[in-house]
Amino acid sequence: DIQMTQSPSSLSASVGDRVTITCQASQDISNNLNWYQQKPGKAPQLLIYDASDLQAGVPSRFSGSGSGTDFTFTITSLQPQDIATYYCQQYDAFPRTFGQGTKVDIK
Amino acid sequence: EDQLLESGGHVVQPGGSLRLSCAASGFSFSTYAMNWVRQAPGRGLEWMSTISGSGASTYYADSVKGRFTISRDNSKNTLYLQMSSLRGEDTAVYFCTKDKFRLIRSPFESWGQGTLVIVSS
């Protein structure tokens, strides 16, 4: 199985800060990586697919990069409504696997 | 707009069985693969199973292989998850998801609101 190692597990930042989350795959997954946002009590929402493509309707302050085994998710200017847990997920192979999540809150 | 509505979550005893349903609307159901993803209380997301649009191909996580069966009825636009030999560690919110692309590799574009399964005596 492909292991997804996401870091940090949590972070606290101020409104307007740049926030970066990393995700490392245990083997080459090309660009077959997604990022999801999950707010408390809600279903996850797809933000980024194919490592760097922005899902329709998602604000441009969210972005993704990387390929192979190393990936980065960035919020360029953190907003109060971005408080959530973020997950990376590979879809290069079955079983599909998620990172353990990064909980983002406001300092 | 894609709509997914799960149902069937319940409290069930260990060793028991349960069938979850996911009613889909707003898209051509039979042309997209569908998935089940679960989330134990306070934990992360865990992929459970995928079924192709035709239903001919299915995939399972090792943790549920042989105990859970994914299926679909394209005439009813409904996805199912038959769960048997349930264990305490199967306690979770179960989400139904729709693939974004009509490809073997695809993100989970749309999610239902989830249905809660509690396995407890």
Side-chain angles (χ1 to χ4, degrees), chain A residues 2 4 29 31-36 46 48-53 89-97, chain B residues 99-101 103-108:
Chain A
I2 299 173
M4 305 302 294
I29 59 170
N31 66 335
N32 295 313
L33 183 105
N34 307 311
W35 291 95
Y36 299 89
L46 178 66
I48 303 287
Y49 63 95
D50 288 353
S52 60
D53 288 345
Q89 179 237 339
Q90 66 81 18
Y91 59 105
D92 189 68
F94 288 105
R96 307 302 196 217
T97 45
Chain B
D99 274 7
K100 179 176 177 67
F101 303 124
L103 300 170
I104 187 64
R105 292 188 177 90
S106 174
F108 303 150

Side-chain angles (χ1 to χ4, degrees), chain B residues 24-86:
Chain B
S25 61
F27 63 98
S28 179
F29 182 71
S30 65
T31 65
Y32 288 91
M34 299 290 292
N35 317 273
W36 288 99
V37 174
R38 73 182 180 186
Q39 186 169 37
R43 306 294 297 274
L45 300 169
E46 181 185 16
W47 169 82
M48 290 287 94
S49 185
T50 294
I51 186 168
S52 63
S54 67
S57 299
T58 57
Y59 308 85
Y60 296 94
D62 284 347
S63 59
V64 303
K65 199 173 295 182
R67 299 190 300 123
F68 290 10
T69 302
I70 191 170
S71 64
R72 63 193 298 159
D73 185 336
N74 287 343
S75 69
K76 295 182 178 178
N77 288 357
T78 303
L79 174 72
Y80 302 101
L81 185 67
Q82 179 68 48
M83 311 164 70
S84 61
S85 303
L86 283 161

